Structures are given as C-alpha cells and as structure tokens.
Amino acid sequence: MSKKLFSALAVVMSMVFLAPAYAEDNVRIALVVKALGIGFFEAANEGAQEAAAELGDVEVIYTGPTSTTAEGQIEVITSLIAQRVDAIAVSANDTQALVPILKRAQQRGIKVISWDSGVAEEGRLVHLNPSSNELIGRMNVSLAADALEQKGVSSGQMAILSATPTSTNQNIWIDEMEKALPEFSQLELVDTVYGDDMADKSYREAVALLRNHPDLDVIVAPTTVGILAAAQAVSDQGRVGEVYVTGLGLPSELAGHVASGAIHNFAIWNPIDLGYSATMIAYNLVKGNSNDQQVPMGRMGVAELDAGGSAAMSDPFIYDASNVDEFASIF
Ligand code: RAM
C-alpha cells in the first residue's frame, strides 16, 4: 500500500471511529414532561437546550406521554432505560407510581432527578421545586384576593381548577393554599376540580364551575393549562368582570385574556430558567460535581438541597396589564 493511500485510509478510519466515539461521550439527558404539547414544558425545553449548548457535550432528549398519566410516563422511562441515557429529569404525574421504574433506572446507573412535580425520595436523587411551595400557595390565594378587590367586593367565593388529582406539585400547592386561606377571611373556597392539564377537560370543568356556583367570584388555576382554559370559558360564557380567573400561567398564552379583563393578574416563575436549571443539575450529578448539600446550576447559581434532597429555584413574578406584553414574547 502506498504511503499516500495509507494515510488517506487512516484519515477515513479515524473519522469512522472517532465521530461516533465523540457522540457517545455526550451526556444524554432525558427531560420527561407531564405531557407533550404543553407550552410551559416547551419553554422549559428551550432552557434545557440552552444549557446543552452552553455545556457543549450534552444531548437533551425532550419527551413525554401524549396525556398526563403515570402509565404513559412509565412507558417513556422504560424506553429511556433501554436507550441507556445518562440522566432522567422528570416532572411527575404521580408521586409514588413512578418510583419502581425510576429505582430500576438508578440501578442501571442512570442519575434520576425530578423537577417541577416531584417523585417520592426513593425514586430520585434530587428534586428541584420552581420556588418555595409555601410561597406559591400563599401567592395564589393572595391573587384571588386581588381579584375580589378588582371586582370591588369585600368578600366572595373562589374555586380551584387544578391539573390531575395525582400531580405532586398541584397537591402540595392546594394544601398550601388551604393553609393560607384562614388569613384571607374574605375568601370562601367552594370547590376544587381537576382538568388533568388537558385543554378540553379543563375547559369543561371551568364551564361546570360557572354553572354549579352562580355566585362564584374567582377561579384560581395553579396550572398553565387550567388558567388558559378557565379564562376562555369565562369569556365564552359572557362572564368577564363577574368571574375573575387567576393562578399560574404564561404571559404568552394569557396576554389576550388580560386585555379582555377575564384575568386581572397572575403569576409564574421563569419556565426557561427551570428547564435550564434541571438540565444543569442532571449534568452535574452525572459528572460527580455535587455533594449532599449543593449542586451547581450554571448561570442560575447553586441548588441548596434540604435534608430530603429538595431545592427551590427562584421566586415567581406577578403579571398584569402593565407588564404582560413585555414578557409575552419570552415565555
Ligand atoms: C402546568 C403543569 C406544571 C405546572 C405549571 C404551573 O404547566 O401542571 O406542572 O408547574 O402548570
């Protein structure tokens, strides 16, 4: 073989063997969401991709079931274990049901965290809350009180429109709302219903709330899917100004309903930052850059873990007519 041919071959061979070897060195992080097609999780994926671009050696696999069920997530996670991803970061549809499959993932060496909506401690190493749960609960009640003020009444009825009844974050926030309620004696909680973070079911539940509680003043939906559906229902039923909608939502999805008056104000933390932070935590666990108390989160600082391995990212912001348009182009 001529020297030239040999070196040409060597170049080709090294391309063949080195290219996949480089890709295999990538840290593969699966971002498992409650369901595909939810704007909040798509924004989180944007942040996850940003983290991957910043780190350089990360591939983010954005995935989830088509509806918000634990069974759907178990199927997705089973397939991720077969694909031998390095880390799984899940927003759970159920606190307990995912534990066995996530334990199996961990036995196979996969680093597991939950974010947004947690799994029980045995199922994961770390859980990242968007904010303090107590703060989120209290803020939702205080937004309902703002709605009464906006309506110009001194007391009134509120109902909660949640996501699925097994969703960890929703249930904790409902608990925290109930704990905060006695401090807001002007508010009477008359019902709590579940739209499963599906647009159509949330819409139907909101219409039913309006029908079942003719004197209802405020619907509080601590879910981006629920708040949007409830605002739509209030406006379709011609109840704007009589029934206010508030809770947790995305400026990009709600700006029109703030303009129409169906929503006076609402809150959310930055979902892009949340996806970014979850990805950074997963990466640093894979790389061993953490201890029992701290995990770095890139530009978001350090996750300070409590005894149960949970951390909180940052405080939510309140949006109203004065700032919603400015943020609507971001998330
Ligand atoms: C929905 C989901 C998510 C929650 C947000 C506020 O997108 O229920 O888990 O954090 O709302």
Side-chain angles (χ1 to χ4, degrees):
M1 196 187 297
S2 81
K3 244 186 170 172
K4 245 185 173 172
L5 183 62
F6 179 78
S7 51
L9 253 177
V11 169
V12 170
M13 296 291 281
S14 68
M15 278 163 68
V16 168
F17 290 111
L18 288 179
Y22 171 74
E24 265 173 32
D25 281 351
N26 269 356
V27 174
R28 293 194 303 149
I29 300 172
L31 197 67
V32 180
V33 298
K34 284 180 171 177
L36 297 174
I38 294 177
F40 174 83
F41 291 118
E42 281 160 12
N45 182 37
E46 244 182 86
Q49 301 298 340
E50 181 200 330
E54 185 184 319
L55 291 164
D57 59 347
V58 171
E59 183 195 338
V60 169
I61 303 166
Y62 178 72
T63 181
T66 51
S67 63
T68 48
T69 63
E71 296 71 38
Q73 287 191 316
I74 290 168
E75 251 176 60
V76 166
I77 292 165
T78 304
S79 136
L80 290 168
I81 295 174
Q83 291 170 50
R84 299 186 184 172
V85 296
D86 298 292
I88 292 174
V90 62
S91 169
N93 285 321
D94 193 295
T95 316
Q96 293 297 337
L98 301 182
V99 167
I101 190 74
L102 291 175
K103 272 187 166 168
R104 193 189 313 160
Q106 295 191 80
Q107 282 155 9
R108 306 276 164 90
I110 298 173
K111 302 291 181 202
V112 175
I113 70 161
S114 51
W115 59 284
D116 180 53
S117 184
V119 285
E121 272 176 49
E122 320 85 78
R124 50 72 179 169
L125 287 164
V126 168
H127 171 65
L128 180 66
N129 283 306
S131 294
S132 133
N133 288 317
E134 191 191 337
L135 179 69
I136 297 171
R138 169 178 303 277
M139 191 175 263
N140 273 281
V141 179
S142 123
L143 291 169
D146 289 351
L148 287 191
E149 225 178 284
Q150 182 66 18
K151 201 180 157 180
V153 294
S154 55
S155 63
Q157 296 185 350
M158 72 176 247
I160 298 173
L161 169 62
S162 179
T164 59
T166 58
S167 179
T168 318
N169 55 351
Q170 294 288 322
N171 287 339
I172 293 174
W173 298 336
I174 292 172
D175 266 12
E176 293 294 344
M177 285 166 79
E178 286 171 355
K179 279 193 222 158
L181 262 170
E183 289 166 47
F184 295 81
S185 55
Q186 69 271 45
L187 285 163
E188 183 199 356
L189 177 62
V190 294
D191 212 345
T192 299
V193 297
Y194 298 87
D196 293 351
D197 267 348
M198 296 279 115
D200 49 352
K201 173 140 199 271
S202 302
Y203 184 87
R204 285 198 303 276
E205 292 291 342
V207 170
L209 279 178
L210 297 174
R211 194 172 307 134
N212 296 340
H213 305 282
D215 297 328
L216 191 64
D217 297 286
V218 198
I219 298 177
V220 183
T223 132
T224 61
V225 179
I227 193 174
L228 177 60
Q232 194 58 52
V234 163
S235 125
D236 290 351
Q237 300 284 314
R239 304 289 304 278
V240 171
E242 283 168 36
V243 182
Y244 279 87
V245 176
T246 190
L248 303 173
L250 298 181
S252 59
E253 294 180 345
L254 300 180
H257 290 296
V258 172
S260 84
I263 293 178
H264 169 57
N265 61 8
F266 65 96
I268 198 77
W269 47 89
N270 184 324
I272 301 173
D273 287 349
L274 188 62
Y276 172 93
S277 303
T279 305
M280 282 290 177
I281 291 175
Y283 178 82
N284 284 315
L285 289 174
V286 170
K287 292 289 181 181
N289 302 329
S290 67
N291 57 41
D292 286 350
Q293 277 108 47
Q294 295 190 317
V295 195
M297 301 190 290
R299 67 168 167 81
M300 293 300 291
V302 172
E304 304 285 349
L305 305 178
D306 66 16
S310 288
M313 184 186 69
S314 62
D315 288 354
F317 260 49
I318 295 180
Y319 301 89
D320 60 19
S322 70
N323 60 0
V324 72
D325 292 327
E326 186 189 330
F327 286 89
S329 56
I330 312 176
F331 51 79

